């Protein structure tokens, strides 16, 4: 408890305004503390809309206690005691955390602090006039009061910011865990997903798609800034984004805008319990983009490259098919071997139309016919077998894609 009978006010520093305040002012203020507290609370509840509404007793107790401690702490500082100020500071940090937990901004609370200072200033001005204290007393009091007000506001803001950061961290942890559940294999129960989605404040969509991205690094500036309805995690490589209702209007544009040209792959749209498949395909596509098999910059859509993804899903199997079907070409010397492979792929892709092949390859039709005769010698009856034609085209496509520059 503050000693109200001190006869001398000790300054906090050589230039502190506290040294200008006489003991008589402090002695006059203490008896009015309860009345001043009630007056400040009444003014706050009357003039500030947020506090004018009906409140529960707990919150009103917080308001009353906040005003009381602010005034007691201020008078304690005038008396030269710093112990009570630490209690006031802790109280206002708790109030700041409470405002954040309730989802309110600090605007109304900061307005209440300023209003309390005005009411206190008015009462002290009356005391100074009644007791005919010199003008420098009022000036010094104003300076100390507004210094105290600034420090209370700073304590409140500190508690508020701390709570917001803590809440944001907890929310991000829940959302990160939700990404794990949505992309788990085998899929977890829908009830578990729904429960976590509620605590993560994420409305459950009908469909999702997963994006994986090569973000530039671990720094915040290197991470994409995604729309708030997306789930995102960039604490590792690759980064993962879960897009709700990906077929909705503007969704793909929003994804591309967030990535700013970063290399990324968009998996297929799937149901909530199939996120693992979307993640797997997106990861495959990103890996192929890194190798240059798929476009190496910007956003790659898996839906545009399904055949390539199928070919590269099991590369050992693709190698076996290539060796089996294209083995006869090994007997042809390079670069003729490459020209024949290119002509054969084009011929199979053009429904075996030699004129169209000549046009696509920009060579004379006679050249195409000459190469086709060579291919007939190399592959024989395979060129007339539909199954062999299909497998030749697959093997040639895999060979062509692997030869793309990285």
């Amino acid at each position: 408890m503050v000693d109200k009978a001190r006869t001398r006010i000790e300054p906090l520093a050589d230039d502190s305004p506290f040294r200008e305040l006489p003991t008589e002012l402090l002695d006059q203020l203490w008896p009015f503390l309860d009345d001043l507290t009630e007056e400040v609370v009444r003014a706050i509840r009357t003039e500030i809309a947020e506090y004018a509404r009906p409140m529960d007793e707990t919150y009103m107790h917080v308001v009353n206690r906040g005003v009381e401690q602010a005034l007691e702490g201020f008078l304690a500082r005038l008396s030269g005691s710093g112990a009570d100020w630490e209690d006031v500071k802790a109280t206002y940090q708790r109030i700041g955390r409470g405002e954040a937990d309730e989802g309110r901004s600090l605007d109304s609370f900061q307005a209440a602090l300023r209003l309390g200072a005005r009411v206190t200033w008015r009462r002290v001005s009356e005391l100074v006039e009644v007791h005919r204290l010199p003008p420098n007393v009022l000036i010094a009091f104003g300076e100390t009061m507004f210094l105290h007000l600034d420090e209370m506001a700073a304590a409140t803001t500190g508690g508020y910011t701390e709570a917001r950061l803590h809440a944001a961290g907890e929310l991000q942890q829940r959302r990160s865990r939700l990404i794990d559940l949505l992309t788990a294999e085998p899929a977890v129960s829908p009830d578990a997903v729904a429960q976590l989605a509620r605590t993560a404040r994420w409305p459950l969509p009908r469909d999702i798609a997963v994006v994986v991205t090569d973000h530039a690094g671990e720094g915040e500036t290197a991470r994409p800034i995604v729309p708030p309805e997306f789930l995102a995690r960039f604490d590792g490589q690759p980064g993962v984004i879960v897009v709700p209702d990906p077929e909705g209007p503007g969704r793909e544009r929003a994804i591309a805008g967030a990535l700013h040209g970063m290399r990324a792959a968009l998996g297929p749209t799937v149901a909530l319990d199939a996120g693992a498949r979307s993640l797997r395909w997106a990861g495959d596509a990103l890996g192929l983009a890194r190798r240059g098999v798929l476009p190496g910059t910007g956003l790659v859509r898996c839906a545009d490259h399904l055949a390539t993804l199928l070919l590269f899903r099991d590369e050992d199997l693709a190698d076996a098919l290539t060796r089996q079907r294209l083995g006869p070409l090994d007997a042809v010397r390079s670069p003729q071997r490459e020209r024949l492979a290119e002509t054969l792929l084009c011929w199979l892709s053009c429904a075996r139309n030699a004129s169209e092949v000549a046009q696509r390859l920009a060579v004379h039709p006679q050249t195409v016919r000459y190469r086709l005769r060579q291919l007939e010698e190399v592959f024989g009856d395979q060129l007339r077998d539909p199954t062999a034609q299909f497998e030749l085209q697959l093997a040639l496509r895999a060979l062509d894609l692997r030869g793309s520059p990285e």
Side-chain angles (χ1 to χ4, degrees), residues 63 79 88 397:
V63 173
S79 70
V88 175
R397 183 68 65 188

Side-chain angles (χ1 to χ4, degrees), residues 230-241:
F230 291 5
L231 300 175
R233 184 170 62 208
F234 302 109
D235 53 359
Q237 288 280 13
V240 179
I241 303 170

Side-chain angles (χ1 to χ4, degrees), residues 167-396:
E170 285 191 342
L171 186 64
Q172 181 56 40
Q173 287 180 359
R174 294 190 189 107
R175 291 191 162 205
S176 180
R177 176 59 181 155
L178 186 56
I179 292 174
D180 291 335
L181 294 192
L182 289 169
T183 57
E185 196 168 23
V188 301
S189 73
D191 289 342
V193 172
Q195 182 177 355
L196 184 56
R198 282 193 297 273
T199 62
R201 301 178 188 175
W202 192 70
L204 280 177
R206 184 180 63 182
D207 302 312
I208 59 173
V210 180
V211 176
V212 293
T213 177
D214 280 339
H215 56 95
E218 296 186 357
E220 291 295 332
T221 57
R223 299 181 178 186
I225 301 176
V226 301
E229 65 270 23
F230 291 5
L231 300 175
R233 184 170 62 208
F234 302 109
D235 53 359
Q237 288 280 13
V240 179
I241 303 170
V242 174
V243 182
D245 297 321
E247 304 300 327
R251 274 293 195 250
E252 190 171 331
R253 185 169 60 251
I255 297 168
L259 296 173
H260 294 295
M262 290 181 182
R263 183 165 55 198
L266 171 62
T269 297
V270 296
L272 281 174
D273 60 355
R277 173 156 49 94
S278 188
L279 174 63
R280 184 173 64 251
W281 289 15
D284 290 347
L286 183 62
L288 294 177
R290 290 169 180 161
R291 292 167 54 183
V293 174
L294 294 180
T297 58
L299 181 65
V300 176
R301 298 176 72 253
C302 287
D304 297 336
H305 305 281
L306 295 179
T308 301
L309 289 169
L310 179 62
L311 275 175
F312 283 83
R313 192 68 185 93
D314 188 332
E315 294 195 52
D316 290 336
L317 191 58
D319 287 340
L321 178 64
T322 301
R323 287 193 299 269
Q324 179 182 347
R325 287 301 180 186
L326 301 183
L329 277 177
D330 292 341
V332 182
R333 300 176 68 176
S334 183
Q336 183 67 6
R337 180 172 60 246
E338 287 74 20
R339 286 196 291 266
L340 289 179
E342 179 186 37
T343 302
L344 179 56
L345 177 58
C346 192
W347 181 70
L348 292 169
S349 301
C350 296
R352 300 174 296 284
N353 186 317
S355 298
E356 187 175 347
V357 172
Q359 185 177 1
R360 288 195 182 187
L361 297 182
V363 298
H364 196 277
Q366 189 61 35
T367 302
V368 173
R369 293 187 184 95
Y370 171 71
R371 292 179 184 175
L372 288 175
R373 286 194 295 271
Q374 289 183 295
L375 288 167
E376 179 75 24
E377 293 175 2
V378 171
F379 290 101
D381 291 342
Q382 291 188 64
L383 298 186
R384 289 178 291 276
D385 181 349
T387 300
Q389 288 177 4
F390 174 69
E391 293 183 357
L392 278 168
Q393 189 170 3
L394 287 178
L396 288 164

Side-chain angles (χ1 to χ4, degrees), residues 39-52:
E39 187 176 351
V40 170
V41 171
R42 186 165 54 250
I44 289 172
R45 297 210 59 186
T46 301
E47 300 184 28
I48 299 178
E50 178 69 22
Y51 300 97

